Structure formats: structure tokens, C-alpha cells
Amino acid sequence: MKHSGLRGIPSVDKLAHALGDTGLPHPVIVATIRRELAALRKHGTIPGFDDILSLVRSALGILRTSRIQPVINGTGILVHTNFGRAPLGHAVMEAVSRIGSQYNNLEYELAEGGRGGRGAYLEHNLALLCGSEAATVVNNNTSALVLILLHFCRDGPPVTRDAHRNSRHRDPLLKNQVLISRGELIQIGGGFRIPEILEASGARLREVGTTNKTSLTDFARAITRETALILKVHRSNFFMEGFVDSPPTEAIAKLARERRIPFVEDLGSGAMIHTETIPGLEHEPTPAEVLRNGVDLVCFSGDKLFGSSQAGIIVGKAKLVAALKREPLFRALRCDKLILAALEATVDIYLRNSTDHPIASDEMSRPGIPLLAMLHVSNDELQLRAGKIIAPLDGLPINVEMGKGRSQIGGGALPRSFVESTTLDISHNTLRPQELAARLRSHVPPIVGFIEQGKLKLDLRTVFPDQDAEIVAALRDAI
């Protein structure tokens, strides 16, 4: 029943009482009710009480699902940006809980009994792990790159007011030019583009070479008195084949040393293992490797192949790292106690399992770094798990078969590499795959897979073994 006037609008208290226990704070419920009632008033036609209650329940349901919550990842993408990238292991979470639940010596020097700097232990061990002179961390890798660009591109006399109006009047002594190959002007997740990041940091982009071919001569010819640094960027989630060429890192490093220009590489993924030792994966450069090749500073993400929490890690020459830490912006970008605790625990796991860097892949096939453990699970083990999931579903109006999958790293690493995997291929007698997928997403915890060849599929490589029972329960509930 609908009312033409506004007299049919129920009170906020009446609706809140009728909703019962929603699991949400009362102020959130009241605000949602008021918002929905305001929308009805604007529309002018008021539905009946039950319809209004249904609208509010739906709005609260959408709001509730937007809270951060555990998700079972059946997509086969290990570093899934939408799912929080790398999951943290038990030892790392214990360290976070221990530090977060108590006071701690974040900026207190216990030996001297006074104020100290934050992150000294982490920086020491990161440098050791990466084979660098020094290391530091900020809140993400984009921040790391912005901090580096800001520091190196601010040398020289300031730009005059007229120069801002007309770039042709720019002071030729201003060293804010960044050389980068055209083939590395990438766009990363969320629509962020390397050229835009360069410009936002005050740098002037100087494109070198062509999209598919860049030579060392191209770099040499582009260097001027205004050149602040040479930047090399990991191509992230794409690759080029065919008539493609670029100078090796060692050659660019030699040129940079000769011209006394800093050479910086944004490595992106932060692999600490020999990825090529894992069947299906290609080689991914490590920070230690590119530093040995002559790069002055390397930055990479903490929550991708490194397998820890979100952070931007910077390693390289001690004098350059020290200069970055003196930048006023550094304080705004620094990590909090929980991130530092997670990173410390992760680095310790790497160091305890390594006597050489980078680490052989089979040395890390343990729960300490869940991402690496997932990579090392054999397909035979995944098939065994699939059989145990399928067995109790026999006789139900749902068909679950064992299929072949190809898992990906994700997070912009190794776009050409796939790891053999096992999938659950699910179909229902009456439900379309999209409907079945929606029901699994509404389960607690939500289960997310992908639709392929008319079936809903769950890749078991990215599903933790202790989540198998939840999949069985969710499939039973879905029918």
C-alpha cells in the first residue's frame, strides 16, 4: 500500500525497533533510516511500512558488507589488490597483536633511557636482507617514489613566478628533469600513472627512446645540466615481445656514475626469492640483484611478493637514504607501530631461513610467509583437497567437479607466469552461475570465485586448507 502524502512516513524509533538486532551501532542505524526517509520524502510517494522496512534493511545490508572482513579467495590470484594483497602469517600477526595491545618502545631508546628514532631494528635488518648500505620504510611504494623524486628534483635555484606561468622561462639551472624510457611510462592500479606521479612531485618528465626500443645512447643524449636522476620502472602488469630492446641495468648504472647522476629503480613487487625455481614462474628481479647491478636506490612494495603489510621500502646507498629521512615530508609518510611490527617479523622470518640472498624458493615453503607457502603447494595436494570437498556434496542438486586451473601472482608481478592449479568447477541444476556466485558472496565469510565456460570456479591454490569446510557449508546453503 502506498500513501500519496507524507503522513504515512513512520517514525525513526518505530523503524529502528522493528529492525531488531542488526549487528550495527545504533547511531549508524538511525542515520541510515533518516537517509532513506529523506529520499522517500524527496520522491513524494510513500510506500507501506513493510516496504520502507525492506528498503532500510537493504541499505543496512549494503553498508554492513562494506566493512573490512575476511574473504575466501577462490580467484587463483595470489596477490589480489582487491583482497588486501598478501595475507600475513601467524608469527607476523602475533607480533602485531603483541605490539598493538601494549605500550612499546616505538621511539624510546631503552639502552640510553631517552627518546630514540623509530624503526632502527627494521632498517638494519632490511639492509642486511637486501644487501644494501641502508634502508628505510614509508607507508606505500608510491609514497617512496614521491619522496625520492621530491628530494632529487628540488636541487638548484627556485623557479621564478614567471617561470610557473611559462615553462620557456624556466631557470636552466633547475635540476628537476627525470629521464625515463617511454616503454616504462606505465599505469598502475587505481588509475595512477607514472607521468602523473612525476609531475605531482615537482619533477619534469624527459621521455627517452621509443615505446619498444630504448638504447644507452638515448639516455646519454638526453642528459643535461637539468637532469636530476635516471628512473627505471618495473613494467608491472604487462610485457612487450618482438622488436623490443632496452639497455641492461649495469650499462645505465655505469652511465649514471660517469655523469654523476643518481640512478633509481622502482622495482614494484619486492621479490626476495628465486622465483624461477617455482614451476611456471619466470625470474623476477630482487632488490639485492639490482643493487649489485649498480642502482643507487631501489623502492618496492611490502605487501606484494615480499609477503608482508602495506609499505614502501627503500634500500640503497647510506648517504641517499639518510638524506631522504631528513626530508620534512618523511614524517608525513612514516609507518605506524603496527606496520613496523609486521615488517620486522616478516624480515626476521626471511633472515632466519637464509644464509644467502636472494633466498632459494624451497627454503620458504612454510607457513611463515603464506604467499610463498601457497606458491609451493603441490598440485597433487590441491587435488586431494578437492576430492575431500566434493565427496560430502554428492546427491545434492549441485554438481562440483575437479578442474584444471592456472594461478597468477597478481599485484603487477610476472604477468606472463602461471602456476598449475586445481579448481572446483561448480554448476547448479536451476541457478545460473552468476546467481550461485552471488549466494557464495553473501555467505559468512564471503567466498569469491570466477565464472568461466558457464561454470563458477574456485581455485584452491588461493584457498587456505582450513577454509575447505566453509566452502562445503556455503555450497550446501546455496542450494
Side-chain angles (χ1 to χ4, degrees), residues 64-117:
R64 187 186 300 108
T65 59
S66 68
R67 291 189 299 193
I68 297 179
Q69 58 186 295
V71 169
I72 295 178
N73 176 14
T75 66
I77 301 173
L78 283 86
V79 183
H80 202 305
T81 299
N82 302 142
F83 296 162
R85 293 184 175 170
L88 304 181
H90 295 301
V92 175
M93 286 309 303
E94 287 174 3
V96 171
S97 177
R98 185 174 64 253
I99 295 302
S101 62
Q102 303 180 60
Y103 292 112
N104 55 79
N105 63 325
L106 177 65
E107 291 185 356
Y108 185 80
E109 178 56 60
L110 291 171
E112 301 295 331
R115 181 168 182 169

Side-chain angles (χ1 to χ4, degrees), residues 318-339:
K319 65 178 182 180
L320 299 182
V321 172
L324 294 177
K325 293 176 66 177
R326 290 193 297 268
E327 285 288 337
L329 184 64
F330 180 77
R331 181 178 178 86
L333 302 179
R334 65 184 182 177
C335 298
D336 80 328
K337 59 189 176 185
L338 302 183
I339 299 299

Side-chain angles (χ1 to χ4, degrees), residues 243-261:
F243 192 57
V244 176
D245 191 27
S246 59
T249 300
E250 301 94 322
I252 302 176
K254 183 175 182 294
L255 174 65
R257 283 194 305 271
E258 292 172 349
R259 301 294 185 92
R260 297 184 178 181
I261 298 170

